[in-house]
Amino acid sequence: MADLQATPETRNLLSEMKLLVATGTMIGHQDDLAYGIGWIAPNGKSDIYRICSDYPAVFGWDLGHIETGSPVNLDSVPFADIKTYARQVHAMGAINTFSWHCNNPLTGGSAWDSQTPGVVAGILPGGEQHTRYLQWLDQLAVFFNELTDDNNKPIPLIFRPFHEQTGDWFWWGNTHCTPDEFIRLWQFTVTYLNETKQVHNLLWAYSAADRFQHKKDFMERYPGDRYADIVGFDQYQQPGQSYEDFVEAMKSRISLLAEIAKEHDKLPAITEMGYEQIPYPAWWTHVVWPILKDSGLSYALFWRNAANRPNHYYVPYPGQISEENFVLFYDLPRTLFQKDIQERSLYDHP
Ligand code: BMA
C-alpha cells in the first residue's frame, strides 16, 4: 500500500475492493447527492436514486478550491456538505473518491491555467511556491483527518490528485513538467500527508487521461508501486464518435490497464467516464456494458449532472431518453450499486 501506516479500515477497503472484482464492476457518480437535473440539495437527492431506487456504489467529490480556504468547491458545493455526504456514503457501506482540481499555485488561476511554465518545479522542495504548497496540503490534511465516522475513526477514501497527467490541459499536465518533476511532486505529496500530517485513510489513485497508446506512455509519470494503490484513466465518448470506435478505444486501453494492474498488483478502475447528454437511448446496455463486462475493473465513475449547466450531464434523470435502458443496466447482475455492496462490510476489520 502507498501508506504503510494506513488504518485497518483503509487496508480492509483495498482488500475487499480486490475481492469484489470477482462479483462485478461498481458504478459510480460524481456529486451524486449534491445536485442533479432540476435540483440542488437539500431540495432533492441522487438522480440515480430517482431512477433505480438505489444509489451508486462509488461517489465522486472534488476538493478544488479547498486550498484557497473557500467554503465551497469549484462547482459551488460547500465543503461542509461534502463532509456530510461522505459520512452518509460511508454509513451506507459505499465508497468515496476525491479528485482535486486545485488552482494554479503560481498564478492563482484555475487548474486549467497551464500557460505559465515551471509551476510544478516551483512547488517542489526548494521551489519558490513550496511553502504555499505545504499550506495547501495542510488544508487537505485537516479535511481528511476531520472526515470521521460515528466512532471517531477516519473514513477511508480514494484520493485521486493530479489526474489526467498524460494530457496537457492542467498545469500539472505532461507538457508542463518533466516525468521526474511529476513523480517527485506525487511522492512528496504522499509522504507529506502520510508522515508529516498523519493522514492514514487514503488509497491513492494514479489516473491518466485517455492520451496513451502504449504501456510506456501510461507509466511515464507513474510514481512507483510504493506510491499508488489504484491505476485508472478517464475517457469520454466524444460527440460524433461512433459507438464501435468508442468501445474499441476503451477496450484496448482497458486491456493495457489490466496488464499494468496485474504486473504491479494494483486495482484497475475507470476513474471518469461518460457521454455528455447520453444522446443514445440504449447507450448503457449497448455501449457501456460491452466495455465493462469482461473488464476486471473495480469501478467506473460517471461524471456529474450539473444543475446549473444545461446539457452537462452524464447519467439519466427521470424523463431522459436513456432512463429505461439505465434500469436494464442497473438490473444486470454484474453492475454493482449500493445495495449490492452494503452487506460486504468493506471497512470492517475482524
Ligand atoms: C469538468 C466540468 C466542469 C467542472 C470540473 C470539476 O469536467 O464538469 O464543469 O468544474 O469538471 O468538477
Side-chain angles (χ1 to χ4, degrees):
M1 285 187 73
D3 179 8
L4 298 173
Q5 297 182 68
T7 64
E9 293 77 15
T10 309
R11 287 174 180 276
N12 215 35
L13 174 61
L14 183 60
S15 335
E16 287 295 323
M17 286 176 77
K18 285 185 175 167
L19 293 175
L20 255 184
V21 170
T23 311
T25 297
M26 290 184 280
I27 304 304
H29 185 214
Q30 183 74 2
D31 280 349
D32 185 77
L33 300 172
Y35 54 79
I37 301 306
W39 61 274
I40 296 179
N43 299 313
K45 68 172 178 187
S46 180
D47 279 344
I48 287 191
Y49 192 92
R50 292 206 287 163
I51 285 175
C52 309
S53 301
D54 195 356
Y55 292 101
V58 176
F59 292 72
W61 311 108
D62 199 276
L63 294 170
H65 290 186
I66 201 167
E67 68 282 357
T68 67
S70 162
V72 300
N73 83 353
L74 79 166
D75 298 316
S76 308
V77 188
F79 289 110
D81 291 356
I82 294 180
K83 260 188 202 151
T84 306
Y85 304 138
R87 289 192 174 109
Q88 287 170 5
V89 167
H90 180 256
M92 58 188 178
I95 300 174
N96 291 293
T97 173
F98 287 82
S99 45
W100 186 27
H101 286 83
C102 54
N103 278 352
N104 181 316
L106 178 64
T107 64
S110 76
W112 292 266
D113 178 7
S114 59
Q115 294 316 306
T116 319
V119 183
V120 170
I123 59 175
L124 287 169
E128 289 201 358
Q129 282 74 45
H130 183 60
T131 313
R132 170 169 305 159
Y133 186 57
L134 294 185
Q135 288 163 356
W136 286 15
L137 294 182
D138 292 349
Q139 307 257 38
L140 272 186
V142 169
F143 181 89
F144 291 142
N145 282 332
E146 281 180 3
L147 197 58
T148 48
D149 66 14
D150 291 345
N151 300 318
N152 241 356
K153 284 190 179 168
I155 292 175
L157 58 99
I158 299 164
F159 185 39
R160 183 173 74 98
F162 306 124
H163 64 300
E164 301 180 356
Q165 71 298 109
T166 60
D168 62 3
W169 41 89
F170 296 128
W171 55 259
W172 57 83
N174 63 354
T175 54
H176 313 303
C177 58
T178 65
D180 179 61
E181 285 166 347
F182 184 86
I183 289 167
R184 280 196 286 145
L185 172 63
W186 187 286
Q187 294 183 347
F188 176 83
T189 305
V190 172
T191 307
Y192 186 80
L193 286 180
N194 289 173
E195 291 176 13
T196 310
K197 304 308 290 185
Q198 294 293 312
V199 175
H200 296 304
N201 51 338
L202 310 184
L203 299 178
W204 291 79
Y206 173 78
S207 152
D210 60 356
R211 306 291 167 94
F212 65 95
Q213 300 303 333
H214 306 284
K215 279 198 253 178
K216 70 170 176 20
D217 310 326
F218 183 92
M219 295 302 285
E220 188 189 54
R221 284 153 201 268
Y222 178 66
D225 290 345
R226 254 290 284 112
Y227 294 90
D229 302 298
I230 293 169
V231 288
F233 65 88
D234 297 355
Q235 186 162 349
Y236 291 84
Q237 183 165 341
Q238 299 302 325
Q241 182 181 18
S242 78
Y243 306 116
E244 295 77 10
D245 193 63
F246 179 64
V247 170
E248 264 328 293
M250 288 296 288
K251 279 187 164 178
S252 68
R253 288 208 173 85
I254 288 168
S255 77
L256 293 180
L257 185 73
E259 285 176 30
I260 292 166
K262 194 162 180 228
E263 285 160 11
H264 296 266
D265 190 23
K266 303 297 165 198
L267 194 59
I270 302 298
T271 38
E272 279 181 38
M273 183 175 169
Y275 187 14
E276 196 177 40
Q277 297 184 65
I278 326 137
Y280 176 32
W283 194 66
W284 301 96
T285 56
H286 286 161
V287 179
V288 179
W289 184 236
I291 293 168
L292 298 185
K293 72 175 177 337
D294 301 313
S295 66
L297 292 165
S298 171
Y299 65 90
L301 178 85
F302 292 86
W303 205 240
R304 64 199 197 96
N305 280 13
N308 56 0
R309 250 179 86 178
N311 308 331
H312 191 59
Y313 58 85
Y314 294 88
V315 303
Y317 52 88
Q320 203 274 336
I321 58 165
S322 72
E323 175 188 0
E324 282 175 28
N325 189 254
F326 191 86
V327 178
L328 297 178
F329 175 75
Y330 169 80
D331 284 337
L332 295 168
R334 300 184 64 245
T335 52
L336 306 181
F337 286 75
Q338 186 263 334
K339 284 181 185 156
D340 299 309
I341 63 163
Q342 66 186 1
E343 303 300 334
R344 292 286 297 230
S345 302
L346 299 179
Y347 304 93
D348 284 351
H349 194 64

Short mmCIF file of all heavy atoms in Angstrom, two decimals, residues 30-31 35 62 74-75 101 112 236 272 303-304 309 312 314, ligand 1:
data_model
loop_
_atom_site.label_atom_id
_atom_site.label_comp_id
_atom_site.label_asym_id
_atom_site.label_seq_id
_atom_site.Cartn_x
_atom_site.Cartn_y
_atom_site.Cartn_z
N GLN A 30 -20.32 11.17 -9.96
CA GLN A 30 -19.74 12.37 -9.35
C GLN A 30 -20.83 13.28 -8.79
O GLN A 30 -21.84 13.54 -9.47
CB GLN A 30 -18.92 13.12 -10.44
CG GLN A 30 -18.18 14.35 -9.97
CD GLN A 30 -16.95 14.04 -9.15
OE1 GLN A 30 -16.58 12.88 -8.95
NE2 GLN A 30 -16.26 15.06 -8.66
N ASP A 31 -20.63 13.75 -7.57
CA ASP A 31 -21.54 14.72 -6.92
C ASP A 31 -22.98 14.23 -6.82
O ASP A 31 -23.93 15.03 -6.79
CB ASP A 31 -21.51 16.08 -7.65
CG ASP A 31 -20.29 16.91 -7.27
OD1 ASP A 31 -19.59 16.55 -6.30
OD2 ASP A 31 -20.02 17.92 -7.95
N TYR A 35 -26.37 17.51 -6.13
CA TYR A 35 -27.28 18.18 -7.08
C TYR A 35 -27.50 17.26 -8.28
O TYR A 35 -26.79 16.26 -8.45
CB TYR A 35 -26.70 19.53 -7.56
CG TYR A 35 -25.30 19.39 -8.13
CD1 TYR A 35 -25.11 18.93 -9.42
CD2 TYR A 35 -24.17 19.69 -7.37
CE1 TYR A 35 -23.83 18.76 -9.94
CE2 TYR A 35 -22.90 19.53 -7.87
CZ TYR A 35 -22.73 19.07 -9.16
OH TYR A 35 -21.48 18.87 -9.66
N ASP A 62 -15.18 16.56 -5.42
CA ASP A 62 -13.97 17.29 -5.83
C ASP A 62 -13.57 18.31 -4.77
O ASP A 62 -14.41 19.04 -4.24
CB ASP A 62 -14.17 18.01 -7.17
CG ASP A 62 -12.82 18.36 -7.79
OD1 ASP A 62 -12.25 19.41 -7.44
OD2 ASP A 62 -12.31 17.54 -8.58
N LEU A 74 -15.06 24.19 -6.40
CA LEU A 74 -15.11 24.92 -7.68
C LEU A 74 -16.44 24.80 -8.39
O LEU A 74 -16.73 25.59 -9.27
CB LEU A 74 -13.95 24.49 -8.59
CG LEU A 74 -14.07 23.18 -9.38
CD1 LEU A 74 -12.99 23.14 -10.46
CD2 LEU A 74 -13.96 21.98 -8.50
N ASP A 75 -17.25 23.81 -7.97
CA ASP A 75 -18.58 23.69 -8.55
C ASP A 75 -19.66 24.15 -7.56
O ASP A 75 -20.82 23.74 -7.65
CB ASP A 75 -18.83 22.24 -8.98
CG ASP A 75 -17.84 21.80 -10.06
OD1 ASP A 75 -17.59 22.58 -11.00
OD2 ASP A 75 -17.29 20.68 -9.95
N HIS A 101 -9.25 19.42 -8.38
CA HIS A 101 -8.96 20.41 -9.42
C HIS A 101 -8.42 21.66 -8.74
O HIS A 101 -9.11 22.68 -8.64
CB HIS A 101 -10.23 20.77 -10.20
CG HIS A 101 -10.68 19.70 -11.16
ND1 HIS A 101 -11.44 18.63 -10.80
CD2 HIS A 101 -10.48 19.57 -12.50
CE1 HIS A 101 -11.70 17.86 -11.86
NE2 HIS A 101 -11.12 18.41 -12.91
N TRP A 112 -6.93 24.71 -14.94
CA TRP A 112 -6.73 24.72 -16.40
C TRP A 112 -5.78 25.84 -16.85
O TRP A 112 -5.51 25.96 -18.04
CB TRP A 112 -8.08 24.87 -17.11
CG TRP A 112 -8.97 23.68 -16.96
CD1 TRP A 112 -9.08 22.63 -17.84
CD2 TRP A 112 -9.90 23.40 -15.91
NE1 TRP A 112 -10.01 21.72 -17.37
CE2 TRP A 112 -10.53 22.17 -16.21
CE3 TRP A 112 -10.26 24.07 -14.72
CZ2 TRP A 112 -11.49 21.59 -15.37
CZ3 TRP A 112 -11.21 23.49 -13.89
CH2 TRP A 112 -11.83 22.27 -14.22
N TYR A 236 -14.04 9.71 -22.25
CA TYR A 236 -15.44 10.03 -22.58
C TYR A 236 -15.71 9.70 -24.03
O TYR A 236 -14.81 9.82 -24.88
CB TYR A 236 -15.68 11.53 -22.36
CG TYR A 236 -15.64 11.92 -20.89
CD1 TYR A 236 -14.43 12.18 -20.25
CD2 TYR A 236 -16.82 12.01 -20.16
CE1 TYR A 236 -14.40 12.53 -18.90
CE2 TYR A 236 -16.80 12.36 -18.81
CZ TYR A 236 -15.59 12.61 -18.19
OH TYR A 236 -15.56 12.94 -16.86
N GLU A 272 -12.99 8.17 -14.60
CA GLU A 272 -14.03 9.08 -15.11
C GLU A 272 -14.47 8.52 -16.45
O GLU A 272 -13.64 8.08 -17.25
CB GLU A 272 -13.52 10.50 -15.38
CG GLU A 272 -13.41 11.40 -14.19
CD GLU A 272 -12.92 12.79 -14.57
OE1 GLU A 272 -13.29 13.33 -15.63
OE2 GLU A 272 -12.12 13.34 -13.79
N TRP A 303 -19.50 10.97 -14.78
CA TRP A 303 -19.30 12.36 -14.35
C TRP A 303 -20.62 13.01 -13.95
O TRP A 303 -21.68 12.40 -13.98
CB TRP A 303 -18.52 13.13 -15.42
CG TRP A 303 -17.79 14.30 -14.83
CD1 TRP A 303 -17.94 15.62 -15.17
CD2 TRP A 303 -16.80 14.26 -13.78
NE1 TRP A 303 -17.11 16.40 -14.39
CE2 TRP A 303 -16.41 15.60 -13.53
CE3 TRP A 303 -16.22 13.24 -13.01
CZ2 TRP A 303 -15.46 15.94 -12.55
CZ3 TRP A 303 -15.27 13.58 -12.05
CH2 TRP A 303 -14.91 14.91 -11.83
N ARG A 304 -20.57 14.27 -13.59
CA ARG A 304 -21.64 14.91 -12.83
C ARG A 304 -22.83 15.35 -13.70
O ARG A 304 -22.69 15.60 -14.89
CB ARG A 304 -21.06 16.12 -12.08
CG ARG A 304 -20.54 17.23 -12.98
CD ARG A 304 -19.58 18.16 -12.24
NE ARG A 304 -19.41 19.41 -12.98
CZ ARG A 304 -20.09 20.51 -12.72
NH1 ARG A 304 -20.96 20.55 -11.75
NH2 ARG A 304 -19.90 21.60 -13.45
N ARG A 309 -25.70 23.92 -15.50
CA ARG A 309 -25.13 23.94 -16.85
C ARG A 309 -25.97 23.03 -17.70
O ARG A 309 -25.75 21.82 -17.71
CB ARG A 309 -23.69 23.41 -16.81
CG ARG A 309 -22.63 24.45 -17.08
CD ARG A 309 -21.26 23.82 -17.00
NE ARG A 309 -20.83 23.23 -18.26
CZ ARG A 309 -19.65 22.66 -18.44
NH1 ARG A 309 -18.79 22.58 -17.45
NH2 ARG A 309 -19.31 22.18 -19.60
N HIS A 312 -24.98 19.50 -19.50
CA HIS A 312 -23.75 18.91 -18.95
C HIS A 312 -24.18 17.85 -17.93
O HIS A 312 -24.22 18.09 -16.73
CB HIS A 312 -22.90 20.01 -18.30
CG HIS A 312 -21.51 19.57 -17.93
ND1 HIS A 312 -20.60 19.07 -18.83
CD2 HIS A 312 -20.86 19.55 -16.74
CE1 HIS A 312 -19.47 18.79 -18.21
NE2 HIS A 312 -19.61 19.06 -16.94
N TYR A 314 -24.33 13.28 -17.28
CA TYR A 314 -23.71 12.01 -17.70
C TYR A 314 -24.44 10.77 -17.23
O TYR A 314 -24.07 9.66 -17.60
CB TYR A 314 -22.25 11.98 -17.23
CG TYR A 314 -21.42 13.03 -17.92
CD1 TYR A 314 -21.31 14.33 -17.42
CD2 TYR A 314 -20.78 12.74 -19.13
CE1 TYR A 314 -20.58 15.30 -18.07
CE2 TYR A 314 -20.04 13.71 -19.79
CZ TYR A 314 -19.95 14.98 -19.26
OH TYR A 314 -19.23 15.93 -19.92
C1 BMA B 1 -15.32 19.29 -15.55
C2 BMA B 1 -16.64 20.01 -15.75
C3 BMA B 1 -16.55 21.32 -15.02
C4 BMA B 1 -16.18 21.09 -13.55
C5 BMA B 1 -14.95 20.23 -13.42
C6 BMA B 1 -14.66 19.86 -11.98
O1 BMA B 1 -15.30 18.10 -16.25
O2 BMA B 1 -17.69 19.23 -15.21
O3 BMA B 1 -17.79 21.98 -15.11
O4 BMA B 1 -15.95 22.32 -12.92
O5 BMA B 1 -15.13 19.05 -14.16
O6 BMA B 1 -15.71 19.18 -11.38
#
